[in-house]
Every structure is written in C-alpha cells, then in structure tokens.
Amino acid sequence: MRNFINLSSSFTKEPAVIRRPPAVICYLCGREYGTHSISIHEPQCLKKWHIENDQLPKHLRRPEPKKPEIRSIGTKGYYDLDAINESAWNSAQSQLVPCDICGRTFLPDRLIVHQRSCKLKIPK
C-alpha cells in the first residue's frame, strides 16, 4: 500500500518557526546562557576571572567588573531582557585591552600571546 501526501496543502502553510528559549549574556565573558543556568555560571565565571586576573602581570590586571544593574519594568517584576543583555555585553567588551602595536582588542591573557607575533604593518 502506498502513502500519498497532499503537496498542495503543504506549500500553502506557513513554515514552522522554531523559537529559541530566552538567553542571558554573562557580563564577565560575554557568552549566552539560559535564564536558569546563568545563576550557576556567573559565580564560577567570576572565580575563574579572579584566578586569571591574579596570574597576569601587574600592568594588565583589571579591577573586578561590576554586574550591571537590573531594573524591573512596572509592578509585576518583568525585566527588559534586551536592555539587560546589552549592558552585560558592553560590560564584557569593556574588559578587552587594545594591542599597543595594531590596536586590536583582546582579553588580557590572550593579548600577551598576540603580542609575541604582532608586527607593525607598513602601508604599501
């Protein structure tokens, strides 16, 4: 027995939209996490940040980043996720350090590695 599909009806339907669950950006590393896992990630990320920062040369050490302030909208306790993510992303990007030679920005531990091979490009 053969199975038949009505092709005319499948073309008229709207394609199914797959919605991602809401994600929150970590203010330390700039990565996206789920709304429940961000509370697990942030303390671990901060601990890792302190370990890495303490291992840097003194001139590259940074002050501890401050968590962006979260304000609720209205009286129901809703939050503007886009505003939270934008301020967290800006916080993560502000921790990048520019290379003295080429001006590109890096995390401090990666800047040391980059500067070993960075050469001033002379325009032709």
Side-chain angles (χ1 to χ4, degrees):
M1 184 173 191
R2 291 180 151 168
N3 292 328
F4 293 97
I5 302 171
N6 184 354
L7 293 177
S8 62
S9 66
S10 65
F11 287 117
T12 59
K13 292 182 181 176
E14 293 282 327
V17 177
I18 300 172
R19 298 189 77 191
R20 289 179 51 188
V24 181
I25 296 176
C26 174
Y27 73 99
L28 296 161
C29 65
R31 295 186 186 126
E32 287 186 355
Y33 292 90
T35 54
H36 294 297
S37 60
I38 191 73
S39 60
I40 298 167
H41 167 76
E42 280 182 351
Q44 294 172 350
C45 193
L46 185 59
K47 186 187 291 186
K48 179 182 175 189
W49 184 92
H50 279 290
I51 291 168
E52 290 175 354
N53 196 50
D54 292 343
Q55 292 175 349
L56 291 171
K58 288 195 185 251
H59 70 282
L60 289 177
R61 290 187 188 162
R62 305 157 290 165
E64 181 180 324
K66 301 292 180 210
K67 186 171 182 170
E69 185 178 317
I70 299 173
R71 292 184 223 143
S72 63
I73 300 172
T75 59
K76 300 220 178 203
Y78 292 108
Y79 297 100
D80 183 1
L81 190 59
D82 292 333
I84 293 169
N85 283 341
E86 184 178 345
S87 62
W89 176 254
N90 290 336
S91 174
Q93 294 301 303
S94 69
Q95 296 178 56
L96 300 177
V97 179
C99 172
D100 297 333
I101 301 166
C102 67
R104 288 177 56 199
T105 56
F106 298 88
L107 288 171
D109 61 327
R110 304 316 307 156
L111 178 65
I112 296 167
V113 175
H114 165 78
Q115 286 181 332
R116 289 185 212 145
S117 62
C118 185
K119 305 217 178 347
L120 184 62
K121 292 184 180 179
I122 301 170
K124 294 180 181 180

